[in-house]
């Protein structure tokens, strides 16, 4: 077979770009197992083996056939104001919910809850719900409250009286739907406590602060 060997190819206008009408196929060297590359005239490139690059340009949003674990979308709600409750029954924390519409019924949703709770004279329970269903809570045991987390702020001990207790967690949910779902954080008091979000129970003086809380939902390709 005859061959043509060149050290460089220059475009018709003297530039580096060379126009190819039907594309270019580059096979592995004789006696090697290197990759073969096909570059079409539409600009598409296909590789028969492994392609190694030092950088990738673009945001990757259009990538397909990627293995599971790709983040498809992210939704977040941030709460910076203060709310209080003295309820002994669970109720939604105002302004601390997030809605997401999965693109596939097989998708997972990674939920992260981050709250700053103040309480005096007792404890505070929080739990996570998907729509009206409890998720990521403890077992049901007689005389106990299934919850995501509990904090305590006694009159002179416990974070929450003079500071804010960080409460929350991370949970990988399987909503199995392509309809919108809403994740929300609910809370209730123990004993006669007053509960606060984004502030401590003791709120006098310049040394106390204001916190911020959030709930984040990320759709993960399964």
């Amino acid at each position: 077979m005859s061959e043509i060997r060149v050290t460089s190819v220059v475009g018709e206008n003297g530039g580096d770009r060379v126009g190819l009408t039907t594309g270019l196929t580059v096979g592995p060297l004789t006696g090697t197992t290197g990759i073969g590359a096909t570059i079409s005239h539409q600009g598409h490139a296909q590789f028969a083996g492994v392609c190694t690059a030092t950088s990738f340009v673009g945001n990757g949003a259009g990538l397909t056939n990627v293995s599971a674990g790709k983040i498809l979308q992210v939704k977040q709600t941030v709460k910076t104001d203060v709310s209080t409750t003295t309820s002994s029954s669970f109720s939604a924390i105002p302004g601390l919910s997030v809605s997401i519409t999965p693109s596939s019924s097989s998708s997972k949703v990674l939920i992260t809850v981050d709250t700053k709770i103040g309480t005096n004279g007792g404890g505070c329970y929080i739990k996570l719900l998907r729509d009206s269903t409890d998720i990521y809570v403890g077992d049901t045991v007689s005389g106990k409250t299934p919850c995501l987390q509990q904090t305590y702020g006694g009159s002179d001990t416990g974070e929450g009286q003079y500071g804010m207790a960080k409460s929350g967690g991370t949970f990988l949910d399987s909503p199995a739907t392509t309809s919108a779902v809403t994740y929300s954080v609910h809370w209730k008091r123990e004993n006669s406590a007053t509960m606060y979000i984004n502030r401590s129970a003791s709120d006098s003086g310049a040394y106390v602060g204001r916190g911020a809380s959030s709930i984040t939902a990320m759709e993960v390709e399964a």
Side-chain angles (χ1 to χ4, degrees):
M1 179 182 294
S2 62
E3 62 182 29
I4 299 174
R5 296 187 180 187
V6 296
T7 56
S8 66
V9 178
V10 181
E12 60 183 344
N13 296 321
D16 292 334
R17 181 176 178 178
V18 178
L20 300 173
T21 304
T22 60
L24 172 67
T25 299
V26 181
L29 298 176
T30 302
T32 72
T33 58
I35 68 170
T38 300
I39 303 174
S40 73
H41 66 283
Q42 293 95 348
H44 298 162
Q46 294 181 331
F47 295 90
V50 177
C51 177
T52 301
T54 57
S55 65
F56 174 81
V57 178
N59 59 18
L63 293 176
T64 58
N65 298 322
V66 179
S67 60
K70 178 181 177 183
I71 301 299
L72 301 178
Q73 59 173 316
V74 179
K75 303 292 184 180
Q76 184 181 64
T77 298
V78 176
K79 178 178 174 65
T80 58
D81 62 327
V82 172
S83 296
T84 67
T85 187
T86 56
S87 175
S88 57
S89 299
F90 277 110
S91 61
I93 298 178
L96 200 57
S97 64
V98 65
S99 296
I100 191 169
T101 303
S103 58
S104 171
S105 59
S106 64
S107 290
K108 307 290 186 180
V109 178
L110 185 66
I111 305 297
T112 301
V113 174
D114 175 33
T115 66
K116 312 304 187 306
I117 301 292
T119 180
N120 62 358
C124 168
Y125 302 94
I126 66 169
K127 66 178 181 177
L128 176 64
L129 280 74
R130 182 204 323 118
D131 295 329
S132 59
T133 302
D134 291 355
I135 57 174
Y136 194 33
V137 296
D139 292 343
T140 299
V141 178
S142 178
K144 310 300 179 184
T145 299
C147 62
L148 167 58
Q149 194 166 352
Q150 176 190 9
T151 64
Y152 176 78
S155 58
D156 57 0
T157 61
E159 190 176 21
Q161 174 70 19
Y162 297 104
M164 288 172 275
K166 178 178 172 62
S167 301
T170 302
F171 179 69
L172 187 63
D173 187 36
S174 301
T177 184
T178 55
S179 299
V181 290
T182 298
Y183 296 92
S184 57
V185 184
H186 290 224
W187 61 351
K188 77 167 191 172
R189 75 175 187 181
E190 178 189 19
N191 298 330
S192 59
T194 298
M195 298 175 348
Y196 307 86
I197 187 167
N198 294 338
R199 57 156 278 193
S200 60
S202 177
D203 198 47
S204 61
Y207 57 87
V208 295
R210 288 288 186 268
S213 301
S214 66
I215 180 170
T216 304
M218 295 188 290
E219 182 185 1
V220 182
E221 187 176 32

